[in-house]
């Protein structure tokens, strides 16, 4: 058995060596971590923190400087049983640091999945595969068969729209789209025999997080709820992974699939999936899933106007309101206009804004929408309203003074959105270009833990929109160092939203995206 002294020796070797590391050193690390007994010194190491700048596990931080060596070590640790998920965690850290290794990471995670029976561990691995699948290509029939078995779930309790399990009351995460499963309240009970089924209805979007129960009841009920949600997350993430790699077997019963899963099919495998979705698409649209409606497109929306109206009436969302407005007067009817007029006063403020804009685009009269948006800008959080202002286009020109005042919003995100809305309603990007260039803040050094990347991302989104719409004839040359780094770096430039940053950079550099 390798001792702590031996571990210190190879850690020192990694610290002194330059990546890529010598094969002999990588082999020593792989053999050391493959030791199985729980008394091995690896078992005492702290869990790696998932974000740059936090106190990382030192050996994994060093290993991931050499992605090929790290993946070799991870495969060896997985082959030895993936004790405490050392190998599969290292795979995830390689993906967090390096680009274009999705296929290798998925292959390694496929080897780890059958080794874990614990619900939380399986959930973590399947969730990682789901995040990688759309960019990893075909993972092979073996993994797809494994995921299909996981995706079957317990349809009686898990089917969309089913009531939550007895003893558990749930609600969707209030942190917004793309941020998790459910926050769960476990109802108090004095009955030790309280039963919670092994699966529960849940909604998972990109980058889901494990739900953490808050409880006033007994610990046994809490544990049962945790197991139920872990199982539900495994089922949903397996479905997301299958949708990402285009496995059409999942569409044998499309009515049981969630909005995020269906949206993944429409986004990445639209032509193949549509023939199977057409029979059930009216019912799916009527459910009102924001993810599905965002992926629907104007062609399908126009063919399902009654279901879109039903979705807005029964499940009001920004996505449903926006889609109706995009259809315009030729794609809608008088009932649509009446629905938009009656819904606005009772809806959430961002939905109110989108409803007002959609009605203006349909009837051609912007005055009511301008008054509604002006009032919302004065009383509500501007970042929730400004996207609707921009969508109004030239009809929103009377709102220019209110938007200009928000260019100095103390929230950086609000400033970028105000700049976007300003050029869209005035048609003039020049006044906001200096602000956007300052937000992008080109410098000679960049770091993956540089929090300024989030401000850069928001500014680059606006600049890319200008470039695509033709409002920006050429990309300012002072942005090129930043854009070339985003487009060509083999490392991820930030731990989050890196793929979007690369896409925005390629748009602004007029470079074609890879097929």
């Amino acid at each position: 058995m390798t001792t702590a002294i031996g571990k210190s020796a190879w850690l020192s070797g990694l610290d002194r060596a330059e990546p890529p590391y010598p094969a002999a050193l990588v082999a020593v690390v792989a053999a050391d971590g493959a030791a199985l007994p729980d008394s091995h010194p690896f078992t005492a190491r702290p869990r790696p923190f998932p974000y740059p700048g936090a106190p990382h596990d030192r050996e994994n931080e060093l290993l991931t400087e050499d992605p090929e060596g790290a993946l070799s070590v991870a495969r060896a640790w997985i082959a030895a049983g993936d004790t405490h998920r050392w190998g599969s965690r290292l795979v995830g850290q390689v993906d967090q640091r390096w680009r274009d290794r999705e296929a290798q990471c998925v292959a390694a995670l496929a080897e780890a999945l059958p080794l874990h029976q614990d619900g939380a561990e399986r959930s973590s691995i399947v969730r990682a595969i789901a995040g990688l699948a759309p960019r990893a290509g075909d993972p092979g029939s073996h993994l797809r068969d494994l995921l299909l078995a996981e995706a079957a779930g317990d349809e009686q309790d898990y089917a969309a729209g089913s009531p939550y399990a007895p003893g558990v009351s749930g609600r969707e995460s209030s942190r917004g789209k793309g941020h998790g499963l459910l926050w769960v309240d476990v109802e108090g009970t004095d009955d030790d025999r309280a039963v919670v089924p092994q699966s529960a209805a849940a909604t998972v979007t990109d980058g889901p997080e494990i739900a953490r129960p808050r409880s006033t009841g007994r610990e046994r009920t809490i544990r049962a709820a945790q197991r139920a949600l872990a199982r539900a997350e495994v089922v949903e993430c397996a479905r997301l992974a299958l949708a990402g790699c285009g496995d059409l077997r999942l569409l044998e019963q499309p009515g049981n699939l969630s909005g995020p899963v269906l949206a993944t099919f429409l986004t990445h495998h639209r032509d193949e999936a549509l023939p199977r979705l057409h029979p059930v698409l009216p019912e799916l649209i009527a459910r009102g899933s924001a993810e599905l409606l965002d992926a629907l497109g104007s062609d399908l929306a126009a063919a399902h106007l009654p279901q879109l109206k039903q979705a807005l009436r029964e499940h009001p969302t920004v996505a449903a309101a926006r889609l109706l407005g995009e259809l315009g007067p030729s794609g809608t009817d008088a009932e649509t206009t009446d629905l938009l007029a009656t819904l606005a006063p009772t809806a959430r403020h961002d939905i109110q804004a989108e409803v007002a804009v959609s009605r203006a685009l349909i009837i051609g009269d912007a005055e009511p929408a301008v008054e509604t948006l002006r009032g919302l800008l004065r009383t509500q959080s501007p970042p929730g309203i400004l996207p609707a202002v921009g969508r109004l286009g030239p009809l929103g020109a009377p709102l220019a003074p209110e938007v200009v005042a928000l260019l100095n919003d103390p929230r950086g995100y609000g400033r970028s959105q105000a700049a976007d809305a300003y050029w869209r309603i005035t048609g003039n990007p020049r006044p906001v270009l200096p602000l956007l260039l300052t937000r992008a803040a080109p410098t000679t050094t960049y770091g993956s833990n540089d929090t300024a990347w989030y401000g850069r991302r928001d500014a680059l989104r606006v600049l890319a929109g200008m470039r695509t719409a033709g409002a920006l004839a050429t990309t300012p040359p002072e942005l090129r160092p930043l854009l070339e780094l985003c487009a060509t770096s083999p490392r991820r430039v930030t731990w989050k939203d890196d793929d979007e940053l690369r896409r925005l950079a390629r748009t602004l550099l007029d470079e074609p995206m890879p097929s």
Side-chain angles (χ1 to χ4, degrees), residues 317-319 321-322 347-357 372-391 406 409 411 413-418 421:
T317 60
V318 166
R322 182 183 294 123
R348 206 176 60 213
H349 67 267
D350 54 342
I351 300 175
Q352 287 184 46
E354 292 291 347
V355 164
V357 169
T372 297
L373 292 171
R374 183 175 286 124
L376 289 171
L377 286 172
R378 291 171 179 172
T379 60
Q380 304 294 340
S381 174
I385 310 301
L386 286 167
V389 174
R391 200 164 67 86
L406 293 171
D409 192 298
R411 293 158 293 195
Y413 185 62
R415 290 199 295 272
S416 293
Q417 283 196 327

Side-chain angles (χ1 to χ4, degrees), residues 299-320:
D299 53 341
L300 290 178
H304 296 90
L305 179 61
Q307 289 76 32
L308 265 180
K309 290 187 289 188
Q310 181 182 346
L312 183 63
R313 186 182 300 110
E314 298 178 2
H315 314 282
T317 60
V318 166

Side-chain angles (χ1 to χ4, degrees), residues 4-380:
I5 295 176
K7 177 182 174 183
S8 298
W10 64 251
L11 272 175
S12 178
L14 289 175
D15 214 359
R16 292 195 307 269
E18 289 289 330
Y21 299 127
L25 180 58
V26 171
V28 169
V29 179
D32 185 79
L36 292 178
D38 287 342
S39 59
H40 189 270
F42 268 74
T43 61
R45 71 186 189 177
R47 177 179 178 178
F49 284 77
Y51 55 90
H56 271 74
D57 205 18
R58 181 61 177 159
E59 57 266 32
N60 281 12
E61 186 176 10
L62 288 170
L63 279 170
T64 51
E65 285 295 316
D66 175 9
E68 299 301 330
L71 287 171
S72 174
V73 169
R75 285 191 293 267
W77 291 355
I78 290 170
D82 200 26
T83 305
H84 300 287
R85 283 196 55 234
W86 299 330
S88 50
R89 281 198 184 114
L90 181 57
V91 170
Q93 289 175 317
V94 170
D95 177 64
Q96 285 179 358
R97 181 169 286 195
W98 296 92
R99 291 172 167 174
D100 302 323
R101 284 172 170 77
E102 291 85 358
Q104 296 167 279
C105 291
V106 166
L109 292 171
E111 297 171 8
L113 181 59
L115 304 175
H116 297 279
Q117 300 305 315
D118 175 76
E121 291 180 347
R122 291 182 74 80
S123 170
S124 296
I125 294 172
V126 176
R127 185 169 69 251
I129 294 172
L132 295 166
R135 296 170 282 128
D138 188 352
S141 59
H142 173 66
L143 177 58
R144 284 190 277 109
D145 289 343
L146 279 176
L147 292 170
L148 192 65
E150 295 289 353
D154 183 348
E155 294 294 348
Q156 182 177 358
D157 293 314
Y158 190 77
S162 67
Y164 292 100
V168 179
S169 63
R171 59 184 174 82
E172 291 188 19
S173 166
S174 61
R175 292 171 293 166
K177 180 181 168 185
H179 291 285
L181 279 164
L182 302 168
W183 287 103
V184 176
D185 295 313
V186 180
E187 295 175 355
T189 175
D190 292 327
D191 185 0
D192 284 345
R193 296 169 297 175
V195 175
V196 179
Q198 289 302 305
S199 61
T203 297
V204 182
T205 56
D206 294 340
E209 300 174 6
I210 296 175
R212 302 297 182 190
R214 292 181 286 110
S215 174
T216 56
R218 290 184 177 273
E219 186 176 346
R220 183 177 300 181
T221 306
I222 300 173
R223 289 198 300 269
Q226 287 175 323
R227 288 194 300 271
L229 286 170
R231 177 58 188 152
E233 187 179 31
V234 168
V235 171
E236 183 71 359
C237 286
R239 293 174 177 180
L240 283 169
L242 287 166
C245 62
D247 194 319
L248 298 181
R249 293 177 296 174
L250 193 61
L251 293 179
E252 292 176 2
Q253 293 182 314
N256 289 328
L257 301 180
S258 69
V261 173
L262 296 166
T264 302
F265 269 116
L266 290 178
T267 300
H268 299 285
H269 306 281
R270 191 180 189 88
D271 293 340
E272 302 91 335
L274 267 180
R276 300 207 183 188
L277 288 177
H278 269 308
V280 294
L281 206 52
E283 177 190 348
L284 299 176
I285 293 171
R287 287 186 199 164
S289 163
E291 292 85 0
L292 175 61
L293 296 181
D294 278 338
L296 201 58
S298 57
D299 53 341
L300 290 178
H304 296 90
L305 179 61
Q307 289 76 32
L308 265 180
K309 290 187 289 188
Q310 181 182 346
L312 183 63
R313 186 182 300 110
E314 298 178 2
H315 314 282
T317 60
V318 166
R322 182 183 294 123
L323 263 180
L324 288 170
E326 289 174 356
L327 296 180
S330 60
T332 54
D333 53 22
E335 185 185 11
T336 306
T337 307
D338 294 340
L339 173 62
L340 293 170
T342 57
L343 183 73
T346 60
R348 206 176 60 213
H349 67 267
D350 54 342
I351 300 175
Q352 287 184 46
E354 292 291 347
V355 164
V357 169
S358 289
R359 187 168 183 273
L361 294 176
I362 291 172
I363 67 176
D365 179 9
E367 186 175 350
V370 167
E371 290 306 311
T372 297
L373 292 171
R374 183 175 286 124
L376 289 171
L377 286 172
R378 291 171 179 172
T379 60
Q380 304 294 340

Side-chain angles (χ1 to χ4, degrees), residues 434-507:
L435 179 144
L436 293 170
L437 294 177
T438 300
R439 293 278 292 149
T443 62
T444 56
T445 59
Y446 307 93
S448 61
N449 61 345
D450 181 357
T451 56
W453 277 112
Y454 298 107
R456 293 186 180 118
R457 176 202 59 191
D458 296 336
L460 291 175
R461 282 175 180 168
V462 181
L463 290 165
M466 290 179 177
R467 191 78 180 93
T468 302
L472 188 64
T474 59
T475 298
E478 57 265 41
L479 275 181
R480 288 199 166 267
L482 172 73
L483 299 176
E484 288 169 0
L485 174 67
C486 287
T488 63
S489 170
R491 286 177 179 259
R492 297 194 182 278
V493 297
T494 180
W495 71 284
K496 184 179 180 182
D497 297 327
D498 176 75
D499 292 318
E500 183 186 11
L501 281 166
R502 179 158 58 167
R503 177 183 61 79
L504 294 172
R506 285 172 169 162
T507 298

